[in-house]
Amino acid sequence: MLLGCIADDFTGATDLANTLVKGGMNTIQSIGVPAPGMDVGKTDAVVIALKSRTNPAKDAIKDSLEALAWLRERGAKQILFKYCSTFDSTDAGNIGPVADALLDALKADFTIACPAFPETGRSIYKGYLFVGDVLLNESGMENHPLNPMTDANLVRVLARQTKNEVGLVELATVQKGADAIRARFEQLRGTGVRHAIVDAVMDNDLIEIGRAAKDLALITGGSGIAMGLPGNFRSDGVLTDSFQAALPGIKGRSAVIAGSCSKMTRAQIAHTRRNWPSHNIDPWDIASGKDVVTGVLAWAEKEGADTPVLIYSSADPDEVKAVQKEFGREKAGAMVEETMGEIAKGLLSQGVNRLVVAGGETSGAVVGALDVHALRIGPEIDPGVPWTEAIGGVPLALALKSGNFGAEDFFEKSLGMLS
Ligand code: ADP
């Protein structure tokens, strides 16, 4: 293994793995820290997907250090800690505390923090993070229920999460190229800076930053920072092949499970419902004790022989609010997620082995219910979402997308690629 990655959430891990595959690295995503004996075969990169973004910092540190130990044992030459491109975190962490713990464990004294991803509108200038045309704290992220981002200055944000010094590599330096960036790293390190926010507004900036970070034991950032890393391993002569991802060669029935209530997923459902049989899962039915799972599985068995079936709980914000008001946000979410997991299990036993799932938490619930522990990453469907194939267990092709990803025809497009 060349690159070992620790991602703080599930669909973010897939996004990173997708970037590495596009860069020609054979990549596997593990769901949680792999069991000690798990065989990942021959691979250039492993991305361990944790669920540590919003956990208490001490738990996030513990999980991240366990992931690090596994990756180092397998010979990872460099470690990448991946978080959200909107720097999702609070003053209590977890980006600063986890980065500090990883640096300590690696006996390293300097790393970078660069969540920029221009392709998805995330750019950093003078340390300020922009989302599209606006500052992070005007992008809607200031209202995030778990980690409201009310300050767009990442030097200040990160400084509140670590007792160590935080510095900045400005765009003027970045655009001079890798040598200038590396010299600035050395200068900052020499003045006791342990974390450097790095400006980037274009893909090429990320590639130069990646080149400059070649000898850092730890890199932290969004999936964009991975763009320049395959080239480093290539220039060192340790990455000789350019991995060409293949579609999962799996024949069988197909289904879509959607638990995301995001605007894009709802548009995707509206688009696909016109062409495919579809079935709505109503949280009020689940709560009333109705056997929703048996009902939908009987329907799918009948409908799904030739056409994919679409099963969704997705609802508009007013309906979601009403459900959350009655049952509480967490309980409502968990109740629907558990049902979607049970449905996925039932579909698998009906011979469905091509499955598209919409929603980050929903994807986590489905892979958990299906007992999937690792995924081989295949070709990209839409930006940030690849086809994957479960490793071990029954043959299963999975496309797992976070709510807002993918174009309106994502469901048809993804399953169309396999036919
Ligand atoms: P996204 O990627 O869009 O954030 P997630 O799957 O991560 O999607 O989150 C959506 C959450 O909403 C899940 O916990 C899911 O169980 C829950 N949910 C789905 N449908 C409904 C509904 N009709 N009412 C309330 N909550 C719902």
Side-chain angles (χ1 to χ4, degrees):
M1 191 202 318
L2 301 174
L3 185 67
C5 309
I6 302 165
D8 69 353
D9 93 326
F10 186 84
T11 39
T14 312
D15 183 11
L16 168 62
N18 181 58
T19 303
L20 294 170
V21 166
K22 284 202 288 182
M25 293 182 89
N26 183 351
T27 305
I28 282 173
Q29 176 177 340
S30 158
I31 296 143
V33 180
M38 193 178 100
D39 179 17
V40 292
K42 188 186 165 329
T43 186
D44 302 318
V46 173
V47 181
I48 297 181
L50 299 178
K51 216 174 176 306
S52 58
R53 182 169 296 168
T54 53
N55 285 354
K58 71 172 186 359
D59 297 346
I61 290 172
K62 182 174 164 284
D63 292 350
S64 304
L65 290 177
E66 262 175 43
L68 176 70
W70 190 91
L71 293 166
R72 292 179 83 190
E73 217 168 87
R74 303 298 163 113
K77 298 187 186 323
Q78 189 169 45
I79 301 296
L80 170 56
F81 168 38
K82 150 79 172 77
Y83 38 79
C84 190
S85 59
T86 43
F87 214 71
D88 295 23
S89 52
T90 67
D91 289 352
N94 291 336
I95 295 173
V98 169
D100 276 327
L102 294 173
L103 279 172
D104 289 345
L106 288 161
K107 299 193 170 33
D109 59 1
F110 179 83
T111 188
I112 58 167
C114 183
F117 202 2
E119 193 189 346
T120 56
R122 276 59 156 166
S123 49
I124 308 172
Y125 181 62
K126 295 204 180 276
Y128 286 81
L129 179 59
F130 289 81
V131 178
D133 299 330
V134 298
L135 286 165
L136 175 67
N137 58 317
E138 299 168 7
S139 68
M141 281 301 295
E142 69 276 22
N143 300 319
H144 191 286
L146 303 174
N147 43 258
M149 301 304 291
T150 54
D151 184 358
N153 185 310
L154 298 186
V155 177
R156 282 196 305 249
V157 173
L158 189 54
R160 289 194 291 266
Q161 297 182 24
T162 170
K163 54 183 188 332
N164 295 297
E165 203 67 32
V166 180
L168 173 66
V169 182
E170 289 204 46
L171 191 65
T173 305
V174 170
Q175 296 201 330
K176 285 185 191 142
D179 290 343
I181 302 169
R182 201 175 304 114
R184 177 71 175 144
F185 289 170
E186 283 314 309
Q187 192 188 16
L188 289 172
R189 190 207 302 256
T191 61
V193 167
R194 206 171 193 232
H195 305 265
I197 302 291
V198 189
D199 281 353
V201 298
M202 291 190 304
D203 282 357
N204 192 54
D205 300 332
L206 289 169
I207 289 170
E208 292 300 317
I209 297 164
R211 284 180 56 207
K214 182 168 168 286
D215 297 322
L216 296 182
L218 175 71
I219 296 173
T220 87
S223 54
I225 197 63
M227 286 167 60
L229 305 183
N232 291 339
F233 296 118
R234 241 175 230 119
S235 68
D236 273 353
V238 287
L239 180 65
T240 46
D241 302 335
S242 184
F243 174 70
Q244 294 294 325
L247 282 167
I250 292 174
K251 307 241 175 304
R253 294 171 74 160
S254 307
V256 175
I257 292 182
S260 163
C261 299
S262 68
K263 213 165 149 189
M264 184 44 88
T265 297
R266 285 182 293 123
Q268 288 160 341
I269 292 167
H271 179 91
T272 303
R273 274 186 63 194
R274 293 199 285 268
N275 307 320
W276 293 355
S278 62
H279 198 294
N280 177 231
I281 302 295
D282 187 343
W284 298 99
D285 285 345
I286 304 173
S288 73
K290 204 168 147 186
D291 190 354
V292 171
V293 175
T294 305
V296 71
L297 288 175
W299 167 86
E301 176 88 78
K302 223 164 60 233
E303 292 281 350
D306 306 316
T307 344
V309 291
L310 166 65
I311 297 165
Y312 64 96
S313 64
S314 320
D316 66 32
D318 286 343
E319 278 180 62
V320 173
K321 239 182 251 155
V323 171
Q324 288 180 340
K325 190 163 173 235
E326 179 72 18
F327 306 107
R329 179 189 298 269
E330 266 182 30
K331 186 157 174 252
M335 159 176 102
V336 177
E337 284 166 35
E338 195 189 325
T339 303
M340 294 311 221
E342 287 299 311
I343 292 170
K345 226 158 108 179
L347 289 172
L348 200 69
S349 63
Q350 288 179 6
V352 169
N353 48 17
R354 300 156 153 194
L355 195 57
V356 178
V357 187
E361 294 298 326
T362 309
S363 294
V366 167
V367 294
L370 299 183
D371 211 20
V372 172
H373 298 287
L375 304 168
R376 184 167 295 282
I377 306 297
E380 186 173 58
I381 306 162
D382 272 337
V385 197
W387 264 113
T388 74
E389 189 170 342
I391 298 174
V394 295
L396 178 63
L398 284 167
L400 308 166
K401 72 161 206 96
S402 79
N404 270 321
F405 278 38
E408 248 181 52
D409 64 349
F410 181 85
F411 300 148
E412 285 109 318
K413 182 178 175 186
S414 50
L415 289 168
M417 283 169 75
L418 299 189
S419 60

